[in-house]
Amino acid sequence: MLMDNLAQPALPRSASAQRGFLRYVVALLNMCPSWVANLTSGHDGVIARSPTGVKYLFLVEPEGAVDEAQVLVALDRRGPYRLVMVSSSSVSSELGFTPAAREIAKRQNILLWSLDEMDYLVMAGSLESNAPLAHLGLEVELPRQPIPGEDAPSERLTQGF
């Protein structure tokens, strides 16, 4: 089944493994409805555009807990993008980022992801759905559904004039 092919790999430790992981992130995002993603020109991050037009820069920190200095370097690279930082040191964002890094991220509206959040990206790609991405705080446009109990427009039409 598709989910078996998308099983989450361990986050990379070498530069070439990191590029492979980033390509995997690109593929997962491109499987989601109306998302467009590519590697950055230096192949050290992912840029993506959501269905609503919001642009993101995904950066993966492969070693240890992310500290304040790493967040400040990422802020310098952010440019016009909303920043998503992924820590590979833990399954919990609480452990994968130092308290100072989390404070800066909160003030600067940076999304901090751990392996737990990456599971939602795998789910979104395998389901080809944006709903798991909305859970992660990414801007997505969910399909509009009629309010239960109201007639849909097609049900109100009559035959003849």
Side-chain angles (χ1 to χ4, degrees), residues 101-117:
R102 286 195 306 271
E103 182 60 35
I104 292 171
K106 184 177 179 180
R107 284 195 317 261
Q108 296 293 328
N109 199 25
I110 298 171
L111 296 174
L112 302 179
W113 288 9
S114 65
L115 295 179
D116 279 346
E117 286 80 14

Side-chain angles (χ1 to χ4, degrees), residues 114-143:
S114 65
L115 295 179
D116 279 346
E117 286 80 14
M118 289 303 301
D119 283 341
Y120 281 94
L121 181 57
V122 172
M123 185 188 314
S126 65
L127 296 174
E128 297 181 12
S129 169
N130 286 333
L133 300 179
H135 175 78
L136 293 172
L138 300 179
E139 299 276 337
V140 297
E141 191 171 281
L142 298 174

Side-chain angles (χ1 to χ4, degrees), residues 20-81:
F21 180 77
L22 290 170
R23 286 186 192 104
Y24 181 68
V25 171
V26 167
L28 289 170
L29 285 168
N30 282 329
M31 292 171 71
C32 297
S34 302
W35 279 81
V36 178
N38 288 306
L39 289 176
T40 59
S41 59
H43 299 280
D44 58 353
V46 172
I47 53 174
R49 187 184 70 236
S50 77
T52 60
V54 176
K55 296 177 183 175
Y56 293 92
L57 172 62
F58 292 80
L59 299 174
V60 175
E61 298 296 336
E63 299 287 335
V66 176
D67 62 19
E68 180 179 4
Q70 290 168 297
V71 174
L72 293 174
V73 168
L75 276 172
D76 287 341
R77 290 189 57 195
R78 176 170 57 181
Y81 301 100

Side-chain angles (χ1 to χ4, degrees), residues 80-96:
Y81 301 100
R82 179 140 186 240
L83 191 56
V84 179
M85 293 187 72
V86 181
S87 170
S88 65
S89 67
S90 176
V91 294
S92 166
S93 292
E94 290 292 315
L95 301 175

